[in-house]
């Protein structure tokens, strides 16, 4: 029987649906993908969107969709033909997720966490097992899966201190939701302890799936070929977030990247020349900000060349990486990368992809989203931590001028990435074991479907 508090939560999410629709309309103005198949968000589907026995995987956004891709590849290796039902919450997540589908798979939006929408989703698709990627735990969904006997697991799970504090403030919702999960596989021991404190059944600490990603060799080869044509070293600000690009541009401007320097200011002249000797590139984390960042660069007096507009690199003080799915190309071009999300209190973006491409990383003070990976990379000599953007620019300049140290960091990054593989195989094996155990006794199962 449901608690009164959960029923109140369900009433609230039901009443909030008009607000959700309004928010989607606003998001669609900047990202048209949010206008696609809106009714799926509320549990209404096309007639052909059906089936049973799905391995349902929920990957809310771009990063989770990429991690899901690694897991799906391993699931297919261990269980060829496994039927995947993929749900996403953001437009970029859905776009990335669409690349993972094979014939027989299906992709729909994550249902809004209201009783009606969730019930219609589960009744329509009747998944054999549900897999939530990383952080997405919703009270109504976990309760509804429990009532229907659908095992719901949390894979590649992470929970930082900030998120834990938020969950504890809503413990009346969070604790029943986490305790209802059939299994949780954490990225790190620290994540495990925090998840257990919320009542989660942590069945293993398997590491981060993203270590099992293989960089796109075509992009790396293209980058290597392009590098031979470029006269200057490249520093890439990778997956930059709002507020961070301004920091970089102000530091570059302050270091004299634009104005001529009087002869008597020899120290300033030196740093200005060194800044000019580097090609700076910004790759924003969110595509809806590409135009905004281009305008920001120009407002600071820098010329900008956009990846989307230039077949070959154009002459410009700042390059803008305004494309999706080309991070391996950007890391392959880079002599060093500045880690986005780490120079504002945002917890940092994923540095594992940079390591897998052999790109040294300079990170700011905020890396709580990938705390263990950040510390391991530092210990391995694959990255460097600095207190602020000014120190980051200075450290990047030093690395571009020191090929021996840069090569040592590159090799350390590759070794660090290779040493931490294996999460995909462990997670897929555990997931399939739970899915098989969920089959009703005596049910006929037609290979290769999990039903």
């Amino acid at each position: 029987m449901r608690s009164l508090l959960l029923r109140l939560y369900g009433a609230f999410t039901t009443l909030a649906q008009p607000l959700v629709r309004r928010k989607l309309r606003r998001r669609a103005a900047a990202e048209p993908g949010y206008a696609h198949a809106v009714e799926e968000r509320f549990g209404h589907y096309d007639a052909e969107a059906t089936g049973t026995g799905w391995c349902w995987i929920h990957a809310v956004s771009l990063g989770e969709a990429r991690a899901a891709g690694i897991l799906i590849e391993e699931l297919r290796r261990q269980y060829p033909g496994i039927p995947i039902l993929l749900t996403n919450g953001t437009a970029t997540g859905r776009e990335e997720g669409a690349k993972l589908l094979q014939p027989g798979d299906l992709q729909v939006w994550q249902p809004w966490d209201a009783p009606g929408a969730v019930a219609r989703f589960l009744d329509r698709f009747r998944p054999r097992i549900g897999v939530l990627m990383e952080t997405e735990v919703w009270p109504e969904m976990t309760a509804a899966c429990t009532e229907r006997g659908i095992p719901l697991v949390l894979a590649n799970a992470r929970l930082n201190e900030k998120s834990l504090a938020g969950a504890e403030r809503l413990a009346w919702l969070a604790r029943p939701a986490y305790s209802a999960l059939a299994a949780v596989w954490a990225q790190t021991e620290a994540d495990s302890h925090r998840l257990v404190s919320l009542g989660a059944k942590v069945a293993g600490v398997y590491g981060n799936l993203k270590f099992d990603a293989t960089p796109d060799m075509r992009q790396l080869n293209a980058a290597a070929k392009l590098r031979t044509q470029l006269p200057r070293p490249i520093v890439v600000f990778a997956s930059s977030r709002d507020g961070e690009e301004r920091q970089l541009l102000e530091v570059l401007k302050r270091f004299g990247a634009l104005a001529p320097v009087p002869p008597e200011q020899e120290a300033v002249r030196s740093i200005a020349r060194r800044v000019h000797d580097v090609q700076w590139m910004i790759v924003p984390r969110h595509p809806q900000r590409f135009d905004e960042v281009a305008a920001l660069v120009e407002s600071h007096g820098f010329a900008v060349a956009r990846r989307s507009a230039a077949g070959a690199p154009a002459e410009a003080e700042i390059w803008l990486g305004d494309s999706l799915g080309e991070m391996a190309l950007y890391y392959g071009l880079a002599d060093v990368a500045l880690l986005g999300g780490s120079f504002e209190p945002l917890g940092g973006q994923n540095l594992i992809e940079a390591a897998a491409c052999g790109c040294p990383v300079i990170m700011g003070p905020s890396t709580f989203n990938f705390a263990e990976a950040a510390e391991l990379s530092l210990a391995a000599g694959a990255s460097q931590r600095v207190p602020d953007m000014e120190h980051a620019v200075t450290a990047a300049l030093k690395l571009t001028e020191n090929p021996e140290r840069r090569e040592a960091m590159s090799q350390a990054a590759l070794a660090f990435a290779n040493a931490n593989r294996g999460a995909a195989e462990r997670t897929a094996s555990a997931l399939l074991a739970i899915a098989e155990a969920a089959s009703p006794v005596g049910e006929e199962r037609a290979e290769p479907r999990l039903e």
Side-chain angles (χ1 to χ4, degrees):
M1 182 177 175
R2 295 192 170 205
S3 69
L4 174 61
L5 291 174
L6 184 58
R7 292 200 298 272
L8 289 173
Y9 167 82
F12 170 78
T13 54
T14 299
L15 292 171
Q17 287 177 109
L19 298 178
V20 177
R21 290 180 181 275
R22 186 170 69 178
K23 181 179 179 181
L24 291 170
R25 287 194 296 272
R26 289 178 176 173
R27 292 294 298 270
E31 293 182 81
Y34 281 96
H36 175 70
V38 170
E39 290 307 310
E40 290 180 358
R41 305 261 193 182
F42 306 98
H44 303 292
Y45 307 95
D46 294 337
E48 60 268 23
T50 188
T52 61
W54 300 99
C55 177
W56 161 43
I57 298 179
H58 175 58
V60 60
S61 193
L62 181 62
E64 290 85 356
R66 288 174 174 165
I70 299 164
L71 178 58
I72 289 171
E73 182 179 358
E74 179 61 24
L75 285 169
R76 287 176 173 146
R77 188 188 70 80
Q78 295 189 27
Y79 199 116
I82 185 170
I84 301 296
L85 170 64
L86 183 64
T87 60
N88 308 99
T90 69
T92 53
R94 182 156 178 149
E95 183 179 355
E96 182 71 17
K99 303 173 186 176
L100 309 176
L101 304 180
Q102 292 186 359
D105 296 339
L106 185 64
Q107 182 184 39
V108 296
W109 286 113
Q110 166 198 13
W112 173 241
D113 203 43
V118 168
R120 287 188 290 273
F121 170 79
L122 294 176
D123 291 344
R124 170 63 72 96
F125 299 110
R126 293 181 289 162
R128 174 68 66 205
I129 188 170
V131 186
L132 310 175
M133 297 301 300
E134 300 197 5
T135 60
E136 284 282 298
V137 180
W138 289 89
E140 178 60 37
M141 181 60 79
T142 56
C145 285
T146 299
E147 291 165 356
R148 287 165 172 76
I150 300 169
L152 189 62
V153 302
L154 185 63
N156 212 42
R158 58 185 174 90
L159 186 71
N160 60 47
E161 290 289 349
K162 181 179 178 181
S163 297
L164 174 62
E168 287 176 335
R169 285 193 294 271
L170 295 172
W172 57 278
L173 278 176
R175 289 186 182 279
Y178 278 93
S179 63
L181 296 170
V184 173
W185 303 302
Q187 292 186 19
T188 71
E189 290 289 349
D191 290 316
S192 174
H193 293 316
R194 288 188 283 267
L195 289 159
V196 167
S197 74
L198 288 177
K201 306 177 188 73
V202 175
V205 178
Y206 288 170
N208 194 327
L209 286 167
K210 292 171 184 175
F211 279 110
D212 290 311
T214 302
D216 189 323
M217 291 309 299
R218 289 174 299 178
Q219 291 186 24
L220 289 180
N221 291 336
K225 183 181 295 186
L226 194 55
R227 282 291 300 269
T228 64
Q229 307 168 26
L230 301 176
R232 293 186 289 174
I234 298 174
V235 176
V236 170
F237 193 4
S239 298
S240 62
R241 302 281 296 275
D242 189 15
E244 293 184 316
E245 300 94 355
R246 184 180 299 276
Q247 288 186 41
L248 174 63
L249 295 168
E250 288 178 353
V251 168
L252 294 180
K253 192 169 183 178
R254 188 163 67 250
F255 278 179
L258 290 177
V261 181
E264 63 271 15
Q265 297 183 14
E266 285 302 324
V268 179
R269 171 184 288 275
S270 175
I271 193 72
R273 184 171 61 247
R274 291 165 69 197
V275 167
H276 273 297
D277 287 343
V278 168
Q279 177 63 64
W280 301 90
M281 184 175 194
I282 299 174
V283 184
R285 174 70 176 86
H286 298 115
Q288 64 268 30
R289 298 188 60 245
F290 289 159
D291 291 343
E292 170 192 335
V293 174
L296 182 68
V297 172
E298 291 174 339
S299 73
H300 279 74
F302 294 95
V304 61
R306 300 177 64 147
R307 163 68 175 163
S308 62
E315 284 292 327
E317 291 154 309
I318 306 291
W319 287 351
L320 180 65
D322 58 343
S323 63
L324 290 175
E326 290 195 312
M327 285 309 301
L329 175 71
Y330 297 140
Y331 284 132
L333 286 173
D335 291 84
V336 59
L338 310 183
L339 182 66
S342 68
F343 295 94
E344 290 283 340
L346 300 168
Q349 297 303 134
N350 175 24
L351 56 78
I352 296 170
E353 188 173 5
C357 294
C359 183
V361 167
I362 296 173
M363 65 183 82
S366 180
T367 55
F368 58 77
N369 282 331
F370 300 92
E372 183 169 280
E375 292 306 315
L376 288 173
S377 71
L378 286 167
S383 64
Q384 181 180 348
R385 191 187 295 279
V386 294
D388 54 39
M389 185 61 73
E390 183 168 327
H391 284 85
V393 169
T394 302
L397 292 173
K398 289 179 179 178
L399 270 181
T400 62
E401 297 160 358
N402 189 336
E404 292 81 10
R405 182 166 182 231
R406 193 171 67 246
E407 177 61 20
M409 288 185 71
S410 176
Q411 293 303 314
L414 292 171
F416 157 67
N418 289 328
N420 287 279
R421 296 182 184 275
E425 183 177 359
R426 292 187 287 269
T427 303
S429 297
L431 189 162
L432 288 170
I434 292 176
E436 290 296 325
S439 297
V441 176
E443 180 180 333
E444 296 278 335
R445 182 166 59 83
E447 297 289 351
R449 297 181 72 82
L450 285 175
E451 58 181 64

